[in-house]
């Protein structure tokens, strides 16, 4: 299931992000992103586990993917594709003022 991030996901994403970069928690401030409408974070969740995520920014009416990451154990299951599809499907929800 792809859904927007919840506060209780942050520690799981930091842990998963450390697999991407050992400095992940110092590079990405998820606590502030979650409360800033310039950012969107979606997670892929299966059996109450986060197996992938995508972080986007929306600045000057341009959406940019900052990072998309899928746990190595779950690669090849189209999780990244599902995350990108969620972004495509939700593009009309973004505020372009």
């Amino acid at each position: 299931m792809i859904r927007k991030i919840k506060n209780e996901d942050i520690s799981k994403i930091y842990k998963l992000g450390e697999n991407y970069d050992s400095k992940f928690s110092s590079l990405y401030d998820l606590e502030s992103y979650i409360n800033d409408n310039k950012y969107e974070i979606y997670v892929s969740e299966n059996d109450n586990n986060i197996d992938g995520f995508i972080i986007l920014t929306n600045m000057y009416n341009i959406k940019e993917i900052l990072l998309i990451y899928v746990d190595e154990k779950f690669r090849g299951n189209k999780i990244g594709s599902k995350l990108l599809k969620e972004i495509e499907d939700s593009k009309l929800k973004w505020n372009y003022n």
Side-chain angles (χ1 to χ4, degrees):
M1 171 176 72
I2 307 298
R3 61 170 175 76
K4 281 189 146 184
I5 188 174
K6 299 177 186 174
N7 283 323
E8 57 266 22
D9 299 327
I10 291 175
S11 62
K12 294 176 186 177
I13 294 175
Y14 276 133
K15 184 176 180 182
L16 188 58
E18 296 295 321
N19 295 327
Y20 165 73
D21 188 324
S22 61
K23 298 177 184 174
F24 180 84
S25 60
S26 62
L27 296 172
Y28 298 93
D29 186 3
L30 302 179
E31 288 88 354
S32 66
Y33 293 175
I34 204 169
N35 296 311
D36 187 337
N37 65 4
K38 294 180 189 140
Y39 295 92
E40 292 275 337
I41 303 172
Y42 292 89
V43 299
S44 171
E45 180 182 48
N46 290 298
D47 297 326
N48 210 26
N49 294 311
I50 305 292
D51 52 22
F53 61 89
I54 188 167
I55 303 172
L56 302 108
T57 185
N58 179 24
M59 310 245 328
Y60 307 108
N61 296 332
I62 299 171
K63 281 196 285 188
E64 181 179 358
I65 297 172
L66 297 179
L67 177 65
I68 183 169
Y69 183 80
V70 176
D71 189 327
E72 291 180 21
K73 296 179 280 192
F74 299 99
R75 292 181 185 169
N77 294 318
K78 302 202 179 278
I79 294 168
S81 297
K82 291 174 186 174
L83 286 163
L84 290 171
K85 176 79 170 128
E86 179 66 27
I87 301 316
E88 184 179 309
D89 291 347
S90 69
K91 67 184 174 185
L92 297 176
K93 298 176 188 172
W94 286 65
N95 183 2
Y96 287 99
N97 294 330

